[in-house]
Amino acid sequence: MTAIRGRYPIADRNRCTLAMPSGWTSGQNLPIIPVSLILNPRKRKRLEMEDAFEVRLHRSGRTIPIPAGETILKTLLDAGVDVDFSCAMGGCGTCETRIVQGIPDHRDNYLSDEEKAQNDVIMICCSRSKSPVLVLDL
Ligand code: FES
């Protein structure tokens, strides 16, 4: 059995064990699951509870529904909207987009906590919306 070292207490190791598929025995291939999802139940629950919302493009007037489990970036690209991006993982800042109205659910690693608190820009490659409609400067 793989030991988890570091700052996680024994209780979290038990939680990790519970996350293994039933019938699993050592030597079998396991699905790749990010450790952060296994060890962080709040993050796992947040991903499970994603809601759909709408993005309104302020300049063009278009309204585009963002389905649960889909990124704003991919949905906009699929809809033919020309947006810049690079890493698509919330780390580079290339997809930063100004928010005209709405409350973002910041999930990137690019903005500082202070910048996230201002709620005036969003990384559309990974962040979502806390409000039913997010109006973007696009
Ligand atoms: S594309 Fe890199 S942060 Fe969005």
Side-chain angles (χ1 to χ4, degrees):
M1 174 176 270
T2 304
I4 297 176
R5 295 168 199 245
R7 60 191 173 107
Y8 298 103
I10 289 172
D12 283 330
R13 278 191 293 170
N14 292 336
R15 194 174 298 140
C16 184
T17 301
L18 291 174
M20 297 297 181
S22 63
W24 176 82
T25 58
S26 63
Q28 290 180 314
N29 289 333
L30 288 171
I32 298 172
I33 301 169
V35 172
S36 62
L37 286 182
I38 295 170
L39 297 180
N40 187 340
R42 274 194 330 193
K43 187 173 183 180
R44 185 175 62 229
K45 189 171 179 91
R46 188 175 71 176
L47 288 175
E48 290 168 358
M49 295 179 65
E50 283 187 342
D51 289 327
F53 57 97
E54 284 184 347
V55 163
R56 247 176 239 152
L57 308 184
H58 185 63
R59 287 185 247 162
S60 70
R62 290 179 67 186
T63 298
I64 298 174
I66 310 296
E70 194 58 82
T71 65
I72 298 172
L73 174 65
K74 182 177 183 311
T75 306
L76 293 184
L77 291 172
D78 288 348
V81 180
D82 187 24
V83 288
D84 292 334
F85 70 99
S86 181
C87 73
M89 297 188 308
C92 72
T94 305
C95 68
E96 182 176 305
T97 303
R98 198 172 76 77
I99 297 169
V100 175
Q101 190 175 10
I103 303 167
D105 181 5
H106 295 288
R107 299 185 182 186
D108 64 88
N109 297 314
Y110 182 78
L111 295 173
S112 68
D113 289 343
E114 292 77 21
E115 290 169 324
K116 288 177 181 175
Q118 292 175 11
N119 286 339
D120 57 359
V121 293
I122 183 173
M123 300 302 145
I124 60 171
C125 65
C126 60
S127 296
R128 297 185 65 78
S129 180
K130 291 180 179 172
S131 55
V133 178
L134 197 59
V135 183
L136 300 178
D137 188 20
L138 291 171

